[in-house]
Amino acid sequence: MTTADLHLHTLYSDGTDTPRRVVELAKQAGLSAIAITDHDILDGYPEAFHAATELGIELLPGLEMSASSDGREVHVLGFLIDLADQPFQQLLADQRLRRIERIHEMIARLQRLGVVVTADDVFAEAGVEGTVGRPHVARALVRRGYVSTAKEAFDRYIGNHAPAYIPGSPMGPREAIHAIRQAGGVPVLAHPIYLKDDTVIEQLSREGLVGLEVYHSSHSPELIAHYEQLADHLGLLRTGGTDYHGSSKEGVPIGSVTVPYALVEALKQWKQNR
Ligand code: AMP
Ligand code: FE
Ligand code: FE
Ligand code: ZN
């Protein structure tokens, strides 16, 4: 059966592999299609596209947009985005600038806690071209020796209930859904397990959400069955993927969560008929 993995990160956000490497690994895993879904950025696409063309694997334009609702983080995947859409690219550039400001705010909090790490340490972890975020703060804290793992960095300092946490995106999920649709894309709620609230999914499905990420490396078989039913009940398309982050997230290699290619066709069909 031909299968796809529709949730992969590269070093354009908080993954650790180049887009080319991600495509190579997907090919080795025997996948026929993938989507690279970096946080708030589409810039990994051209490099990945070259590799995908060479290796004969299909690449869908994609991303994962950060939003927040009532203090909760909501991630919205966007598939089949029109890459030339300038207003959307501008929106993403603004989101990334806000992320840079946020790093400075988190650094100030950390310094008040006696943790001496600089914004430049964090930007060095992120590289120059991509999206900077908390995983890069975590890596800087590991490098400086304040914690021994990224998980410890989240638990002690930058996790959602930890003292140096600054909320991420000022955008609501409804805005993210709208922006993705405006750019020709298909909006899909990522990893609903982290939301733990089906009423939000119901609400978003009335506000333009098109799909639900039913299959994800953090979903148990029971949860998958639950989200399959919920997606059908709400008329949402199903998607799925590994949420691969390279060496920064162990135990979930590319291709460990896949979906049948028919679900990719359903996304394309929706875009065509919109
Ligand atoms: P940000 O978008 O900057 O708020 O960072 C969110 C990203 O951090 C998520 O997409 C995950 O990759 C990662 N993350 C969130 N919570 C944790 C955690 N507790 N441990 C490790 N990584 C996490
Ligand atoms: Fe991430
Ligand atoms: Fe996510
Ligand atoms: Zn992700």
Side-chain angles (χ1 to χ4, degrees), residues 7 9 13-15 37 39 64 75 135 191 243-245 248-249:
H7 195 153
H9 294 270
S13 64
D14 51 0
T37 53
H39 299 285
E64 182 174 16
H75 289 176
H191 41 59
D243 208 352
Y244 177 75
H245 280 74
S248 74
K249 189 172 173 184

Side-chain angles (χ1 to χ4, degrees), residues 75-115:
H75 289 176
V76 184
L77 296 161
F79 297 110
L80 303 171
I81 299 272
D82 298 335
L83 296 164
D85 188 293
Q86 281 313 310
F88 190 67
Q89 292 283 3
Q90 185 58 52
L91 177 71
L92 297 180
D94 292 344
Q95 291 283 97
R96 296 196 295 273
L97 274 180
R98 168 63 200 135
R99 280 175 166 280
I100 290 170
E101 284 173 27
R102 174 190 182 222
I103 295 299
H104 289 288
E105 292 165 14
M106 285 198 277
I107 292 298
R109 290 236 179 148
L110 285 167
Q111 289 184 346
R112 262 178 261 140
L113 295 166
V115 177

Side-chain angles (χ1 to χ4, degrees), residues 1-224:
M1 192 169 64
T2 52
T3 55
D5 186 337
L6 302 178
H7 195 153
L8 306 168
H9 294 270
T10 77
L11 41 71
Y12 278 84
S13 64
D14 51 0
T16 55
D17 292 340
T18 62
R20 167 169 284 276
R21 179 72 184 143
V22 164
V23 173
E24 288 168 356
L25 290 169
K27 182 69 185 177
Q28 284 167 26
L31 303 175
S32 50
I34 58 168
I36 285 176
T37 53
D38 278 314
H39 299 285
D40 299 324
I41 194 163
L42 294 159
D43 297 3
Y45 184 86
E47 178 187 325
F49 183 75
H50 280 290
T53 306
E54 255 171 55
L55 297 175
I57 181 166
E58 182 178 348
L59 177 71
L60 314 186
L63 89 172
E64 182 174 16
M65 282 187 87
S66 307
S68 61
S69 168
D70 300 325
R72 268 187 307 203
E73 275 185 51
V74 183
H75 289 176
V76 184
L77 296 161
F79 297 110
L80 303 171
I81 299 272
D82 298 335
L83 296 164
D85 188 293
Q86 281 313 310
F88 190 67
Q89 292 283 3
Q90 185 58 52
L91 177 71
L92 297 180
D94 292 344
Q95 291 283 97
R96 296 196 295 273
L97 274 180
R98 168 63 200 135
R99 280 175 166 280
I100 290 170
E101 284 173 27
R102 174 190 182 222
I103 295 299
H104 289 288
E105 292 165 14
M106 285 198 277
I107 292 298
R109 290 236 179 148
L110 285 167
Q111 289 184 346
R112 262 178 261 140
L113 295 166
V115 177
V116 183
V117 59
T118 67
D120 282 343
D121 292 339
V122 176
F123 299 140
E125 298 294 338
V128 285
E129 312 176 88
T131 302
V132 64
R134 285 184 289 162
H136 306 111
V137 178
R139 288 176 212 167
L141 290 173
V142 171
R143 204 177 291 275
R144 288 264 176 168
Y146 285 103
V147 292
S148 47
T149 62
K151 184 183 180 306
E152 191 188 343
F154 275 86
D155 289 346
R156 286 178 57 190
Y157 296 114
I158 56 173
N160 291 15
H161 304 287
Y165 173 64
I166 299 283
S169 175
M171 181 185 292
R174 198 164 54 156
E175 269 175 281
I177 288 167
H178 181 72
I180 289 167
R181 290 179 69 131
Q182 284 292 110
V186 190
V188 173
L189 184 73
H191 41 59
I193 183 179
Y194 298 142
L195 208 53
K196 297 184 182 69
D197 184 351
D198 290 354
T199 63
V200 176
I201 304 173
E202 282 165 34
Q203 179 67 30
L204 294 177
S205 75
R206 287 194 291 273
E207 295 173 340
L209 188 71
V210 174
L212 185 67
E213 191 178 44
V214 169
Y215 311 97
H216 183 274
S217 45
S218 296
H219 289 175
S220 65
E222 293 74 26
L223 262 184
I224 287 173

